[in-house]
Each structure stands twice: as C-alpha cells, then as structure tokens.
Amino acid sequence: MNARNGAEPFEGDDRQYSPTRLPGWLQEVNGPDRAQPEQYTRAQLADLSPRALLRHNDNRAVWHANIGPIETPQLLQLHDELDEIIEANRQDGDKTKPAALLDAYPGLGKSTAVRAYGRKLFRNQITLRGETTPSGHRRVPVIYIALSGNTQIRGLNAAICRFYELPATGDADTLAERAVDAVLSLRTVAFIIDDIHFLAGANTNSVRMSNQLKHLANVFPVTLIYVGVGVRQRGILHEGSSGKKNELAQFGRRTTSLTLLPFQIDDEEGRRQWRTLLKTIEKQLVLADKYPGMLARDLSDYLYARSTGHFASLMSLINRGCLRAIRTGHERLDKDLMDHVKNDAAAEEARQELEAAIEAGLLTSHPSEPPDHRRQTA
C-alpha cells in the first residue's frame, strides 16, 4: 500500500527479460497475449481521475510499443519456408541436418519474425511431446542466442551455455561438450542464432567461423537457424573462397538461404499489401480520435516515404507518433503531428527521394479501386 495516497502501486504491463537466457525465453514463449486497452472517447478520457488517466496512458504506451508480430505476407512466407526445413530435418543423429540462413537488410523485422517462429515451434513441440522429456527434464525445443561484435569460437559456445544456465568457464571444447549434454537432455530441436554477421570478417576469419558452424551442425542434432545482415557478401557461405573454390565450400551446401523483403509499391499487389498492413495496424491503435482510413488512406504515401517500406521503421514511427498524440492530447495521427516525430537515421536519409517521386506523381502507395467500388462512391 502506498503510504502517501493510499493507492496500490501500479507496475504496468512492461515485460523486461532477455530472450538469450532460458528464463527470459520462457517468458516470451509462454507469456500471455497482451489485452488491448479500452478505446475511450475524449469525453470518457475527461471523466477519468488523474491516476486512472495516467494508468490508461501508460497501458496505451506499452501496447503501442509492442504491436505485433503482424502476419504480413513476408512473415507468413518465411514461416512456411522454415516449417519446410524443420519438418524435413528428421534425420537420425548420425546425419547432419541442413541449416537455414535468414539474410536481409536491417529494419525489416528479421529478429521479431524468427523469434515468433521459434515461439510457435516451441509451443507445437510441447503440445506434441509434452513439457517434460522421458527422463524427467524440462523440454526446451528451441533456444535463442544473439552474438556480439567480434565473437570468437569460445564466445559462441559460451553463449549457448549461458542460455541453458550452465557454467560459461573452460575452453571452447569444454563449453561445446557441456552444451551438447544440455541439448540431448532437454531435447532441443532448433537453435536460433541472431546477428550471425558478427562472426564474419576477413576471409581468414570467415573460414574459421564457417568451420565452427559446420562443427555445430555435426555435433548438435538440431536445425540451426541463422539470422544476419549481409552474410553472403561477408563470405561465410563461401568460407572465404571465390571462383571455382566455392564448389568446395561445405557450409554453403548445407545451408538454405532465405530473405525478408521490404514492402514495395511498384505494382498493384505490393500496394494492396501495404494498404492491408496499414489497415491491420490502424485497428490496433488506441487513440480517442482515430478513424477508418487514418493510416491506410490519409497517411499511406506519407508513411511509406518515412519508413521506405521497412517494417521496423514503420512500427517505430507509428509507436512514437501515438505517444506524441497521447502526450499532446491530439489523439490522432496526421501529417502535422508526424512531422515532429523522429525516425531511425537510415529511414530519414532515404525518405527524400521517395517523397520527391510521390509528390511528382511518379509513385503512389494507393492501389487502384475496382470499377464497382468507384461507381458506388461516385
């Protein structure tokens, strides 16, 4: 009880955890879906007590910051491709399982998309096989680790051990043996290794790291799902080789390369997908003055130019815009408000060319309306 005003403390719905540790990953996998805050009118907001309004606005801030994952065509295709790889990898332990590599530009929601897949796979495995293994251990079907700059072989093995809450002491081989025991005991079927590009550097380093990743595939009876930026260009798939030597690169032969594309508005299908995305997001916004078409009609071109079609840039922009709309009492998103919202540096640098093309009539994010719809609205 708060002694100053007699009110119970309010913790809100913030969920602070690290998915690179087993307790945090279990929170992400098993955590309940958030409940969307109630939609109030301006009059209803005015009737709230100061404390109730603070709580409502706090809930809205957390909600807008955590919208998604949204089942975009790109995400659904990626999950379907990963399903195919995982489900085909039913080889016995004496055979190496092919890996998957998601290699795409920054700001497309790669990590979110792959963790969403890992969460789904984890839950499906628990439903199929139960929460405990035959020997009584907790079943951990999927693990998630993220690498940092200049990760060496020992650091990679240590990250796996830290996830499992195992000691991270010893040399690389000792750590690997410790991790293998955990994989076998907890029946892990997939590793998600994020920021794999931190393993790639000069050609000599690429060869060394490729050999380590091949060793992981040989030792661990799991499907390895790598996530990174510019991995192909950095030489890991080719193990630092070029030309005909590429044919001798085992890692490339054992790895299926996948990608996640930005939204594009060069054709009608792309424009329809963009509109569907904005309609989906619009429904999830909790603003007193929101209205149908606020995003998908009135801000479509604007949001495309500001985000350059990159999902993560779009969601950051909308999240910050909603926060500003709530704090200022504007309670809606429009160009005047959004012009005061800063976005990531890459999106801001790339927007001018898109804005110029849209203003010149050379580009639009709006799909053509079908003839019957034009007649009805004429």
Side-chain angles (χ1 to χ4, degrees):
M1 183 72 70
N2 190 309
R4 186 167 61 88
N5 57 20
E8 291 291 336
F10 175 65
E11 294 297 334
D13 198 21
D14 296 270
R15 302 175 187 179
Q16 301 302 319
Y17 55 83
S18 171
T20 62
R21 301 291 188 273
L22 180 57
W25 179 238
L26 291 176
Q27 285 189 53
E28 180 165 344
V29 168
N30 299 320
D33 293 334
R34 280 187 167 85
Q36 184 168 342
E38 190 169 350
Q39 180 75 42
Y40 290 140
T41 64
R42 279 188 176 273
Q44 290 171 321
L45 289 176
D47 286 340
L48 294 176
S49 69
R51 178 174 172 80
L53 181 60
L54 281 173
R55 294 180 63 164
H56 179 63
N57 289 345
D58 187 80
N59 284 333
R60 288 198 288 173
V62 173
W63 170 259
H64 290 140
N66 292 282
I67 291 175
I70 295 174
E71 292 187 341
T72 64
Q74 294 92 327
L75 181 141
L76 292 175
Q77 179 179 341
L78 174 65
H79 284 194
D80 183 65
E81 292 167 343
L82 288 171
D83 268 336
E84 187 171 76
I85 294 169
I86 291 284
E87 291 171 11
N89 278 358
R90 303 297 293 273
Q91 299 90 345
D92 292 338
D94 63 327
K95 301 178 182 67
T96 300
K97 300 180 188 296
L101 166 65
L102 175 56
D103 188 10
Y105 292 118
L108 295 175
K110 297 184 301 298
S111 298
T112 299
V114 174
R115 288 208 310 272
Y117 178 78
R119 182 185 185 194
K120 180 180 72 171
L121 177 61
F122 193 112
R123 289 179 166 185
N124 287 346
Q125 286 287 309
I126 295 300
T127 299
L128 178 65
R129 307 191 185 282
E131 294 185 352
T132 57
T133 68
S135 57
H137 295 290
R138 174 197 290 275
R139 189 181 299 276
V140 182
V142 184
I143 80 166
Y144 173 83
I145 63 173
L147 305 184
S148 57
N150 299 318
T151 298
Q152 302 296 317
I153 294 173
R154 183 188 177 281
L156 177 59
N157 293 342
I160 298 172
C161 287
R162 281 193 294 270
F163 176 91
Y164 284 119
E165 300 183 294
L166 299 172
T169 57
D171 59 21
D173 291 338
T174 301
L175 291 167
E177 291 174 3
R178 200 173 287 153
V180 168
D181 289 341
V183 167
L184 296 175
S185 298
L186 306 183
R187 301 298 178 94
T188 302
V189 300
F191 283 6
I192 298 173
I193 304 179
D194 208 345
D195 293 329
I196 191 67
H197 49 271
F198 284 129
L199 290 176
N203 282 347
T204 53
N205 194 36
S206 296
V207 171
R208 183 184 182 193
M209 292 304 171
S210 295
N211 288 336
Q212 170 64 4
L213 297 179
K214 285 187 292 184
H215 176 71
L216 288 179
N218 290 334
V219 171
F220 295 111
V222 302
T223 299
L224 298 166
I225 302 173
Y226 305 114
V227 185
V229 176
V231 179
R232 296 177 66 90
Q233 294 92 320
R234 294 167 189 260
I236 282 187
L237 286 179
H238 300 151
E239 301 173 29
S241 302
S242 60
K244 290 196 173 184
K245 290 183 179 180
N246 287 348
E247 298 174 2
L248 303 178
Q250 287 183 327
F251 185 69
R253 291 289 182 180
R254 294 177 177 180
T255 305
T256 300
S257 184
L258 308 175
T259 193
L260 200 64
L261 297 174
F263 283 86
Q264 57 82 24
I265 55 174
D266 296 329
D267 55 37
E268 196 69 10
E269 181 182 2
R271 290 189 285 269
R272 285 196 299 268
Q273 290 178 356
W274 179 250
R275 171 169 286 188
T276 299
L277 171 64
L278 294 185
K279 285 183 175 179
T280 301
I281 297 171
E282 189 178 285
K283 291 177 182 177
Q284 299 190 53
L285 302 186
V286 187
L287 298 172
D289 287 348
K290 82 168 186 179
Y291 57 91
M294 183 178 71
L295 302 186
R297 184 184 64 240
D298 296 346
L299 287 175
S300 180
D301 284 348
Y302 180 87
L303 291 174
Y304 189 83
R306 290 291 309 270
S307 68
T308 64
H310 284 60
F311 182 78
S313 298
L314 172 69
M315 297 309 296
S316 178
L317 184 64
I318 290 176
N319 173 32
R320 294 176 185 179
C322 288
L323 184 63
R324 180 175 286 269
I326 292 168
R327 291 172 61 186
T328 62
H330 197 66
E331 290 292 338
R332 66 193 294 175
L333 301 184
D334 55 34
K335 185 177 182 300
D336 288 341
L337 179 134
M338 298 299 287
D339 279 343
H340 292 89
V341 177
K342 303 296 184 183
N343 206 5
D344 62 84
E348 293 294 342
E349 290 175 4
R351 65 184 284 196
Q352 293 184 356
E353 184 176 348
L354 284 172
E355 286 177 334
I358 290 171
E359 290 175 4
L362 302 176
L363 193 65
T364 180
S365 65
H366 296 279
S368 301
E369 294 180 350
D372 58 338
H373 180 76
R374 288 199 296 266
R375 284 196 297 269
Q376 293 171 10
T377 57

